[in-house]
């Protein structure tokens, strides 16, 4: 709490908006606002801004939240010229990443939009119609048309996704994203093949999907002593990542298969597709653990890739260069080994740079032997008379005179007296060395050290030159004739069995990278792409690279009107049927916005009426208070005015007005809900502001509204600071009552506190009487002084988002504890699991960011133990429905939660897991029916497997909305009713 007091002193020095001298106050707030940092700019991302953005992103719980559309359609309206996002309709971020990458290939976009099904589709064989590719093509066309011309910020791909996902329902194994991508391209190829065969009867049809995405390579080699050459077609080209540092190394390894017994082969591209796609294999199966794992190692790739060295026509020159590179690498290895002997010298387990060893030896030889004093090394607790001087002084020092003629021989006392040899020097130095020896040795060491440093520099220079030679081996113009530019990078974040996908796609017209992350489409940069895609940073890395032939601009060129020459955009790009489809959807969206606007206008009218009623009631209360307050007698002693009566009267007046008006409001309940104005007046936030304005009444009457504003804001800040410094019970959490208390306890920047206070004093609910309205206008004027470039709104929103996360965590905890007390353990578990997870995310940033994690951990354990016990009881019953229900509880709830208890190595959590496992292992020695034995044998490995990855096995429950008063009251009641606290044990 001392830290909070120190922080409060610092902040109060800045937020001293509170004295009665209004000129000083104006200067204070102006000075503080000048120090505000600049807002986030879209034109560039600095390191500091990137850190703020990452912190903000980490606050938002996008990985587990149940997401829903904003009720306000204006929040879902597309900004002009902004690409359209895709809604994640349930673990479909992989679909969004793939589709956005293909959609932004404008040639592919045109092919899909202008596709028409075969005219004789009814005459096709039955198995082709059941292949689902034609229905999928129609849904894909609809989706692409919305992505072109929709007024919505993002659109729903559910119809296309469901058709694609249905193809895998019969499969028992989990399909990864690459298989979905292959299926997508297969269906597209089939659909265009049917159309091509119809359009070119009697001719060999050309399939545009094959023309775009498929190439050919020549396999050349020797098998059992016989030469062979085979031509093969390829689509997405797979590359291994493990063991390679960049894309060229991966390609070299893939093109040269090496020598496998009697097979010697290599691959050479004979024809490259316009769109060249590489699958980066970042997943491998761990045989020891029996599960797939992701490879997180770093792999670099260029924005411009030259494929000349892999072409069949360059086979001979490439072989020559590969041989030269091989020779250079062998020489490089020898040089690096030699350099390593200089940099890591010695025969023991510890090695040191040889130049440093020689330097240390030189320092030793030039050191002078400075000896210690005998008195300083003997136990000082002994009397001086018992200490004898050294009989022989160190070389170069005069003998130390004896303190007296009578000396006693010192007695050796083991473990209590430490006596070092009297002639031991303070620092290591040669004992006996002549000036000539010293001069010769120093000369040798100097010369040797110079030789070692020169040799090391020469080796490093040679190594650098070889590296440079290898890098430039393919830089001549003859090997830079097949350029491919990076078009899209598909990124995966997570582990092998779970994660999130997004895409970086280059926009050649704006000349910038765009990040497509489901509904969010934002400008990005090459630096951000590198950070997320190369690997080795967090758990994110590229799993697919899409390059396009830089000499074929038609792939990304916009379409132009043949008559006018104008570039086609929006609905003009669409064929008639899709144009009508998009217009219909846009009409529905326009209607939704109109209905919303009408509803908001009706609410505003109702609020205006309620505000007028509230103002009249408050004025009546104020008039009654003024007439009933008796004047205070004069006193000769000065005293501080007591305004507590005025505060109580204002609060009582608000309550009284609310009660009196309830009958009036009920009259209009069908057209007017309970006035939110009066409700707002009774929130802790509004109460404090009204009280602070009440205390500034005298200042208002004498000096006017501006001085009263500074007085009121000082009173309010002082009140909140007192709350922040108080030690309270868990049920009386002032952070829930006011966001400023949360900010103070967590040492938010002063600018955040200032703006938040100003926003609250600028609340339009204060406009119910002249005094409050005048102060509200002053607060709004202060806000208007803050220019957009003078305050970092990203940081401001980041803090408020964190506070919203804190409130959300509180609601999860509150509902979880309520359900636990009602013994609804199945429902309680989800709330307790998510409250614990979210609370730990908050506590990582500070002690006061969240709640007591031991308390939440206790009830999380208790809930799991109760569920485990109940499930075991069901299993013991032997009844088939009960047994199935018990094992279902274990498989769907308890087992997925066990990794959550093991991940942080908390002793009480580990003991709880052992208790649960022991409960089920106790059945192993018991006799039971064969069917129960079979089910137990099948279930126990799942329970005992500690290596399981942590998964988001359920989406968090959807939370109800609570007002501040409701949340504070209900949370306090729940915390007061708890029967156990962490001190009780596990």
């Amino acid at each position: 709490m001392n830290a909070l007091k120190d922080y409060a002193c610092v902040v109060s020095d800045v937020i001293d908006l509170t004295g009665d001298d209004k000129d000083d106050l104006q200067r204070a707030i102006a000075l503080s606002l000048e120090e505000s940092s600049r807002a986030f700019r879209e034109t560039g991302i600095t390191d500091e801004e990137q850190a703020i953005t990452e912190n903000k992103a980490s606050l938002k719980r996008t990985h587990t939240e149940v997401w829903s559309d904003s009720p306000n359609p204006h929040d879902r309206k597309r900004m002009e010229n902004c690409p359209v996002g895709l809604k994640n309709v349930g673990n479909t971020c992989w679909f969004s990443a793939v589709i956005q990458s293909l959609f932004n290939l404008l040639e592919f976009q045109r092919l899909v939009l202008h596709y028409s099904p075969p005219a004789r589709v009814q005459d096709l064989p039955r198995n082709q119609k059941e292949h689902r590719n034609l229905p999928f093509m129609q849904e894909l066309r609809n989706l692409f048309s919305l992505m072109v011309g929709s007024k919505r910020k993002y659109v729903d791909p559910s119809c296309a996704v469901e058709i694609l996902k249905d193809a895998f329902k019969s499969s028992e194994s989990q399909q990864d994203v690459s298989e979905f991508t292959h299926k997508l391209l297969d269906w597209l190829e089939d659909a265009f093949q049917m159309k091509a065969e119809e359009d070119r009867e009697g001719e060999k049809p050309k399939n545009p999907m094959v023309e775009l995405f498929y190439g050919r390579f020549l396999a050349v080699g020797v098998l059992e002593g016989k030469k062979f050459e085979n031509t093969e077609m390829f689509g997405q080209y797979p590359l291994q990542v493990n063991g390679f540092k960049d894309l060229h190394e991966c390609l070299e390894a893939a093109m040269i298969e090496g020598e496998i017994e009697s097979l010697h082969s290599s691959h050479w591209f004979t024809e490259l597709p316009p769109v060249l796609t590489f699958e980066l294999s970042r997943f491998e199966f761990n045989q020891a653990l029996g599960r797939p794992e992701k490879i997180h190692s770093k792999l670099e790739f260029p924005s411009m890739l030259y494929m000349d060295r892999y072409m069949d026509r360059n086979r001979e020159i490439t072989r020559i260069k590969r041989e030269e590179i091989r020779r250079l690498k062998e020489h490089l290895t020898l040089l690096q080994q030699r350099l390593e002997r200089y940099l890591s010298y010695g025969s023991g387990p510890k090695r040191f740079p040889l130049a440093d060893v020689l330097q240390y030896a030189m320092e030793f030889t030039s050191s002078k032997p400075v000896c210690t004093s005998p008195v300083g090394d003997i136990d000082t607790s002994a009397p001086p008379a018992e200490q004898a001087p050294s009989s022989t002084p160190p070389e170069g020092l005069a003998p130390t005179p004896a303190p007296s003629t009578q000396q006693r021989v010192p007695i050796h006392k083991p473990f209590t007296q430490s006596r070092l040899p009297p002639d031991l020097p303070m620092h290591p130095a040669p004992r006996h060395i002549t000036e000539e020896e010293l001069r010769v040795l120093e000369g040798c060491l100097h010369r040797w050290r110079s030789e070692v440093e020169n040799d090391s520099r020469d080796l490093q220079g040679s190594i650098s030159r070889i590296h440079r030679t290898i890098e430039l081996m393919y830089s001549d113009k003859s090997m830079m004739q097949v350029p491919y530019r990076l078009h899209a990078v598909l990124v995966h974040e997570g582990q092998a069995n779970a994660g999130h996908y997004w895409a970086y796609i280059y926009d050649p017209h704006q000349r910038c990278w765009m990040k497509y992350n489901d509904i969010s489409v934002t400008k990005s940069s090459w630096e951000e792409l590198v950070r997320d895609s190369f690997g080795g940073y967090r758990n994110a890395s590229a799993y697919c690279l899409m390059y396009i032939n830089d000499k074929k601009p038609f792939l990304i060129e916009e379409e132009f009107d043949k008559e006018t020459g104008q570039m086609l955009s929006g609905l003009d790009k669409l064929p008639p049927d899709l144009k009508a489809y998009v217009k219909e959807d846009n009409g529905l969206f326009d209607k939704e916005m109109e209905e919303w606007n009408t509803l908001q206008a009706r609410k505003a009218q109702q609020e205006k009426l309620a505000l007028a009623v509230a103002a009249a009631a408050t004025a009546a209360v104020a008039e009654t208070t003024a007439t009933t307050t008796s004047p205070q007698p004069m006193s000769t002693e000065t005293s501080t005015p007591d305004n507590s009566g005025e505060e109580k009267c204002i609060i009582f007046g608000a309550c009284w007005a609310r009660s009196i008006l309830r009958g009036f409001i009920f009259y209009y309940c069908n057209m007017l809900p309970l006035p939110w104005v009066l409700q707002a007046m009774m929130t802790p936030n509004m109460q404090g502001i009204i009280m602070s304005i009440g205390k500034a009444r005298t200042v208002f009457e004498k000096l006017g509204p501006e001085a009263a504003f500074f007085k009121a804001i000082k009173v309010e800040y002082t009140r909140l600071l007192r709350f922040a410094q108080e030690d309270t019970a868990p049920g009386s959490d002032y952070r829930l009552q006011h966001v400023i208390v949360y900010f103070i306890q967590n040492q938010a920047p002063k600018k955040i506190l200032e703006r938040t206070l100003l926003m609250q004093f600028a609340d339009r609910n204060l406009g119910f009487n002249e005094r409050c309205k005048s102060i509200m206008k002053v607060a709004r004027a202060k806000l208007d002084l803050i220019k957009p470039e003078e305050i970092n709104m990203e940081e401001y929103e980041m803090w408020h988002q964190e506070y919203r996360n804190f409130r959300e965590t509180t609601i999860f905890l509150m509902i979880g504890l309520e359900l636990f007390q009602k013994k609804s353990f199945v429902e309680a578990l989800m709330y307790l699991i998510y409250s614990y997870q979210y609370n730990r995310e908050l506590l990582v940033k500070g002690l006061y960011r969240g709640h007591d994690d031991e308390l939440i951990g206790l009830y999380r354990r208790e809930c799991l133990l109760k569920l485990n016990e109940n499930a075991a009881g069901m299993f013991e019953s032997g009844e088939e429905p009960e047994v199935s229900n018990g094992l279902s509880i274990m498989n769907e709830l308890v087992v997925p939660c066990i990794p959550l208890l093991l991940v942080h190595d908390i002793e009480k959590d580990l003991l709880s897991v052992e208790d649960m496992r022991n409960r089920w292992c106790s059945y192993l020695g018991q006799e039971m029916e064969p069917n129960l034995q079979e089910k137990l044998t099948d279930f126990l490995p799942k329970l005992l497997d500690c290596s399981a990855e942590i998964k988001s096995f359920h989406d968090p429950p959807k939370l109800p909305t609570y007002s501040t008063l409701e949340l504070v009251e209900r949370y306090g009641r729940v915390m007061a009713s708890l029967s156990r606290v962490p001190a009780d044990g596990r």
Side-chain angles (χ1 to χ4, degrees):
M1 198 57 72
N2 291 332
L4 280 177
K5 291 180 180 178
D6 296 340
Y7 173 71
C9 293
V10 173
V11 176
S12 61
D13 288 343
V14 180
I15 307 186
D16 191 11
L17 315 174
T18 56
D20 290 340
D21 187 339
K22 60 182 181 181
D23 293 332
D24 291 341
L25 295 170
Q26 289 173 332
R27 285 194 295 270
I29 193 170
L31 178 62
S32 178
L33 292 176
E34 285 176 4
E35 295 175 355
S36 300
S37 60
R38 296 187 178 274
F40 178 85
R41 287 187 172 87
E42 290 187 353
T43 54
I45 301 178
T46 63
D47 292 340
E48 180 181 0
E49 290 166 337
Q50 182 64 49
I52 292 173
T53 304
E54 290 179 10
N55 289 336
K56 179 182 176 184
S58 67
L59 290 171
K60 295 186 177 179
R61 298 159 179 165
T62 56
H63 57 291
T64 52
E65 281 185 337
V66 173
W67 180 87
S68 60
D69 290 320
S70 169
N72 184 353
H74 293 280
D75 294 338
R76 295 180 269 117
K77 186 177 180 180
R78 178 183 181 182
M79 297 180 64
E80 188 176 1
N81 297 325
C82 183
V84 175
L86 293 178
K87 183 177 177 180
N88 189 333
V89 292
N91 296 325
T92 59
C93 46
W94 57 268
F95 180 84
S96 301
V98 172
I99 287 297
Q100 292 283 20
S101 301
L102 294 173
F103 175 81
N104 281 276
L105 285 169
L106 298 186
E107 177 64 13
F108 178 85
Q109 181 189 123
R110 285 188 286 271
L111 288 170
V112 171
L113 289 174
H114 293 279
Y115 177 84
S116 58
R120 296 176 297 176
V121 66
Q122 298 299 327
D123 299 332
L124 291 174
R126 182 175 178 81
N127 61 342
Q128 282 187 304
K129 288 190 290 185
E130 291 178 349
H131 201 248
R132 302 188 185 94
N133 47 17
L134 291 178
F136 175 76
M137 277 302 303
Q138 186 55 47
E139 293 300 337
L140 189 62
R141 290 182 72 239
N142 292 341
L143 179 61
F144 271 30
S145 67
L146 291 175
M147 294 169 71
V148 168
S150 179
K151 292 183 178 181
R152 304 175 191 267
K153 182 188 295 185
Y154 53 88
V155 294
D156 190 337
S158 298
C159 296
V161 170
E162 287 306 315
I163 295 175
L164 189 60
K165 289 172 70 174
D166 280 346
F168 294 94
K169 284 186 176 179
S170 60
S171 175
E172 296 180 358
S173 62
Q174 178 65 38
Q175 307 294 327
D176 64 17
V177 66
S178 63
E179 293 183 72
F180 280 107
T181 307
H182 282 296
K183 179 64 65 177
L184 170 66
L185 293 178
D186 285 345
W187 285 12
L188 291 169
E189 181 184 347
D190 288 345
F192 278 94
Q193 185 66 25
M194 286 187 285
K195 183 64 176 173
E197 289 173 355
E198 181 185 65
D199 293 343
R200 293 175 174 264
E201 291 187 5
E203 299 180 22
K204 186 177 181 181
K206 288 188 176 181
N207 190 318
M209 291 297 107
V210 175
E211 299 287 325
L212 270 182
F213 296 104
Y214 288 86
R216 295 180 181 276
F217 67 84
L218 182 68
V220 181
V222 178
L223 178 61
E224 296 179 352
K226 297 180 180 180
K227 294 183 179 182
F228 68 87
E229 288 189 2
N230 296 325
T231 301
E232 298 181 29
M233 181 178 286
F234 70 92
Q236 299 181 82
Y237 201 85
L239 295 175
Q240 293 295 323
V241 169
N242 208 3
F244 305 109
K245 68 176 182 178
D246 60 39
L247 186 62
H248 278 299
E249 285 192 0
C250 295
L251 276 167
E252 290 280 354
M255 303 302 283
I256 304 175
E257 295 187 0
E259 299 182 4
I260 306 174
E261 297 180 354
S262 59
L263 174 64
H264 308 259
S265 68
S266 61
H267 291 173
W268 302 91
F269 291 119
T270 57
E271 182 182 349
L272 289 174
V275 182
L276 181 58
T277 305
F278 296 115
E279 282 184 7
L280 303 183
S281 180
R282 282 192 170 270
F283 302 99
E284 62 182 15
F285 192 81
N286 188 318
Q287 296 288 349
L289 298 178
R291 64 178 184 186
E293 288 187 337
K294 184 178 179 183
I295 300 168
H296 294 294
S297 56
K298 184 177 181 180
L299 182 81
E300 299 180 2
F301 50 83
S303 59
M304 186 65 74
L305 178 69
Y306 293 95
M307 295 294 294
D308 302 75
R309 70 184 80 173
Y310 310 109
M311 302 302 294
D312 180 56
R313 61 174 177 267
N314 296 323
R315 190 192 307 183
E316 294 306 319
I317 188 172
T318 299
R319 283 176 172 170
I320 294 172
K321 289 180 178 291
R322 283 177 180 171
E323 178 61 27
E324 178 65 14
I325 290 175
R326 186 194 62 77
R327 187 186 63 78
L328 289 172
K329 285 185 175 181
E330 288 179 355
H331 186 48
L332 182 65
T333 301
L334 293 175
L335 293 177
Q336 288 173 333
Q337 290 174 351
R338 290 183 60 187
L339 180 62
E340 182 64 19
R341 295 189 185 102
Y342 282 93
L343 300 180
S344 184
Y345 185 79
S347 57
K350 292 185 178 181
R351 308 292 181 91
F352 303 93
L354 180 54
D356 292 348
V357 172
L358 295 172
Q359 176 65 27
Y360 301 151
M362 196 157 48
E363 292 173 1
F364 174 77
T365 58
S366 59
S367 298
K368 301 298 181 182
V370 179
C371 294
T372 61
S373 171
V375 178
D377 291 324
I378 300 178
D379 185 10
T380 55
S381 62
E386 296 181 0
Q387 300 175 3
S390 173
S391 59
T392 305
E395 184 180 346
L397 296 180
T400 305
S404 64
T405 57
Q406 298 285 336
Q407 299 291 343
R408 295 195 304 181
V409 177
I411 301 173
H412 177 63
K413 300 177 181 179
F415 305 110
T416 61
Q417 181 180 13
S418 175
R419 180 187 179 105
L420 297 176
D423 57 348
L424 187 68
M426 287 291 290
H427 304 287
R431 292 295 187 91
H432 305 288
I433 185 169
T434 64
E435 290 295 331
E436 184 178 356
E437 290 174 333
L438 179 61
R439 187 167 51 256
V440 171
L441 187 54
E442 283 184 339
C444 291
L445 290 172
H446 273 295
R447 185 176 69 256
W448 295 338
R449 185 168 185 269
S450 297
E451 291 171 357
V452 167
E453 289 177 341
N454 291 334
D455 290 346
S456 298
R457 276 195 298 270
D458 290 343
L459 286 170
Q460 289 171 339
S462 298
I463 290 172
S464 297
R465 285 191 294 273
I466 292 177
H467 276 300
R468 184 63 176 164
T469 302
I470 293 174
E471 289 174 2
L472 298 177
M473 187 64 68
Y474 295 98
S475 62
D476 54 287
K477 288 186 178 181
S478 63
M479 300 300 284
M480 299 176 71
Q481 299 300 309
V482 189
Y484 273 77
R485 183 178 56 77
L486 186 62
H487 164 70
V489 180
L490 281 66
V491 179
H492 173 268
E493 181 181 38
Q495 299 300 328
N497 53 359
H500 180 61
Y501 297 88
W502 67 88
Y504 290 100
I505 303 173
Y506 186 71
D507 186 336
H509 307 291
Q510 297 189 59
R511 296 188 177 182
C512 70
W513 285 95
M514 303 291 292
K515 182 177 181 179
Y516 290 79
N517 191 353
D518 290 337
I519 67 168
S520 172
V521 183
T522 55
K523 283 187 177 181
S524 185
S525 63
W526 175 254
E527 290 72 24
E528 184 181 4
L529 184 152
V530 166
R531 186 198 67 193
D532 287 349
S533 306
F534 279 8
Y537 177 80
R538 296 181 181 171
N539 291 330
S541 55
Y543 72 90
C544 182
L545 305 176
M546 193 177 289
Y547 284 88
I548 59 177
N549 193 321
D550 203 42
K551 291 186 175 181
K552 297 184 177 180
F554 71 91
L555 293 169
I556 52 174
E557 275 185 347
E558 293 284 358
E559 192 174 1
F560 291 85
D561 187 275
K562 295 179 180 178
E563 296 180 359
T564 64
Q566 296 293 322
M567 186 179 72
L568 298 179
S569 61
L571 296 178
D572 294 335
K573 298 173 68 172
L574 304 178
D577 63 323
L578 293 181
K579 187 179 295 186
Y581 175 77
V582 175
K583 283 183 176 180
E584 181 182 358
D585 184 77
N586 286 342
L588 293 174
F589 188 60
D590 288 337
K591 184 178 179 181
E592 184 181 356
M593 288 192 290
E594 289 175 6
E595 291 175 351
W596 172 266
N597 294 339
T598 303
L599 178 62
Q600 298 309 306
R602 186 182 301 116
K603 285 184 178 180
Q605 187 176 5
Q606 293 172 351
E607 290 168 1
K608 185 176 180 180
L609 176 59
L611 192 62
V613 173
T618 307
V621 173
E623 184 178 352
T624 303
T625 304
T627 57
T628 56
T629 304
S630 58
Q632 298 295 324
M634 298 295 292
S635 172
T636 55
E637 298 181 3
T638 58
S639 61
T640 304
D642 184 9
N643 292 326
S644 60
E646 182 180 6
E647 297 173 24
K648 294 176 181 177
C649 182
I650 290 174
I651 298 303
F652 174 76
C655 297
W656 176 80
R658 182 178 181 183
S659 177
I660 292 294
L661 291 171
R662 190 160 295 180
F664 172 77
I665 294 165
F666 178 76
Y667 234 114
Y668 295 91
C669 63
N670 291 324
M671 57 172 278
L672 180 68
L674 186 65
W676 60 269
V677 178
L678 296 180
Q679 290 182 359
M681 287 173 62
M682 290 309 298
T683 62
N685 176 19
M686 193 59 69
Q687 286 180 18
I689 293 176
I690 294 174
M691 285 192 295
S692 65
I693 293 175
K695 285 192 173 184
R697 179 176 181 177
T698 304
V699 177
F700 180 83
E701 293 172 351
K702 291 182 178 180
L703 301 176
E706 191 161 1
F709 161 75
F710 287 114
K711 174 68 177 178
I713 208 168
K714 176 179 181 179
V715 171
E716 176 66 356
Y717 177 74
T718 303
R719 180 180 76 94
L720 298 175
L721 180 60
R722 185 176 71 251
F723 287 159
Q725 293 174 341
E726 286 184 6
D727 292 323
T728 59
S732 303
D733 196 332
Y734 288 121
R735 294 175 299 175
L736 292 174
Q737 298 184 20
H738 205 295
V739 63
I740 294 291
V741 176
Y742 183 86
F743 287 170
I744 293 175
Q745 288 192 347
N746 291 293
Q747 302 185 12
K750 56 185 179 294
K751 296 174 286 297
I752 306 300
L753 295 174
E754 292 171 5
R755 184 173 179 84
T756 303
L757 275 173
L758 283 173
M759 290 293 292
Q760 292 172 354
F761 273 84
D763 195 318
R764 64 179 179 179
N765 294 329
L766 289 174
F768 56 82
N769 68 23
E770 193 59 37
R771 181 171 32 150
C772 292
K773 189 174 182 180
S774 300
I775 290 177
M776 176 192 71
K777 289 182 178 179
V778 173
R780 290 187 173 185
K782 300 298 180 186
L783 280 173
D784 290 340
L785 291 175
I786 306 174
K787 298 178 181 178
E789 66 271 14
E790 292 177 334
I791 186 164
N792 193 331
M793 292 305 297
E794 290 288 327
E795 186 180 21
Y796 177 83
E797 175 57 29
M798 180 186 72
W799 276 93
H800 281 269
Q801 178 62 46
E802 182 181 301
Y803 182 70
R804 290 191 289 270
N805 289 349
F806 169 71
R807 277 178 59 97
E808 179 185 286
T809 302
T810 305
I811 296 173
F812 271 112
L813 173 59
M814 177 184 71
I815 297 177
L817 293 175
E818 286 177 338
L819 292 170
F820 181 87
Q821 291 174 333
K822 295 176 182 177
K823 299 185 178 180
S824 301
F825 302 120
V826 172
E827 294 84 356
L829 180 61
M830 284 299 97
Y831 289 96
L832 293 173
I833 287 293
Y834 279 98
S835 65
Y836 187 85
Q837 175 185 338
Y838 292 160
N839 194 63
R840 285 194 70 92
E841 292 174 6
L842 290 170
L843 291 179
V844 166
K845 298 176 181 173
L847 178 63
Y848 296 99
R849 302 287 177 119
H851 297 284
D852 182 2
D853 61 332
E854 290 189 19
L855 175 71
I856 308 176
L858 167 66
Y859 282 92
R860 184 180 67 160
R861 290 192 300 272
E862 290 285 340
C863 194
L864 283 168
L865 288 168
K866 293 286 186 183
L867 285 173
N868 187 75
E869 188 62 29
N870 292 346
M874 294 178 185
F875 182 81
E876 289 177 357
S877 71
E879 300 293 333
E880 182 59 32
E882 290 289 295
V883 171
S884 297
N885 287 340
L887 291 177
S888 177
I889 290 173
M890 293 301 296
N891 285 320
E892 295 178 11
L893 295 175
V894 178
V895 171
C897 286
I898 285 179
L900 299 176
L901 268 65
L902 297 175
V903 68
H904 298 298
D905 291 331
I906 299 174
E907 182 180 2
K908 294 176 181 178
D909 286 346
L910 299 179
L911 291 174
S912 296
V913 173
E914 288 304 309
D915 286 348
M916 289 186 280
R917 288 173 172 168
N918 291 338
R919 182 72 170 86
W920 289 88
C921 289
S922 65
Y923 296 134
L924 290 175
Q926 300 181 18
E927 293 185 1
M928 61 181 68
E929 296 293 332
N931 65 320
L932 292 182
Q933 185 68 50
E934 182 180 352
K935 290 183 177 181
L936 181 65
T937 304
D938 180 60
F939 164 68
L940 275 180
K942 303 175 185 176
L943 181 66
L944 300 176
D945 184 9
C946 301
S947 62
E949 296 287 348
I950 298 175
K951 307 174 186 177
S952 297
F953 52 91
H954 276 291
D955 288 331
K958 190 171 183 179
L959 297 179
T961 302
Y962 294 101
S963 68
T964 300
L965 277 178
E966 289 173 325
L967 179 58
V968 169
E969 179 184 353
R970 191 167 171 179
Y971 178 74
R973 187 167 61 246
V974 171
M975 297 302 291
S977 64
L978 294 181
S979 59
R980 294 189 62 188
V981 294
D984 293 338
R986 73 183 177 94

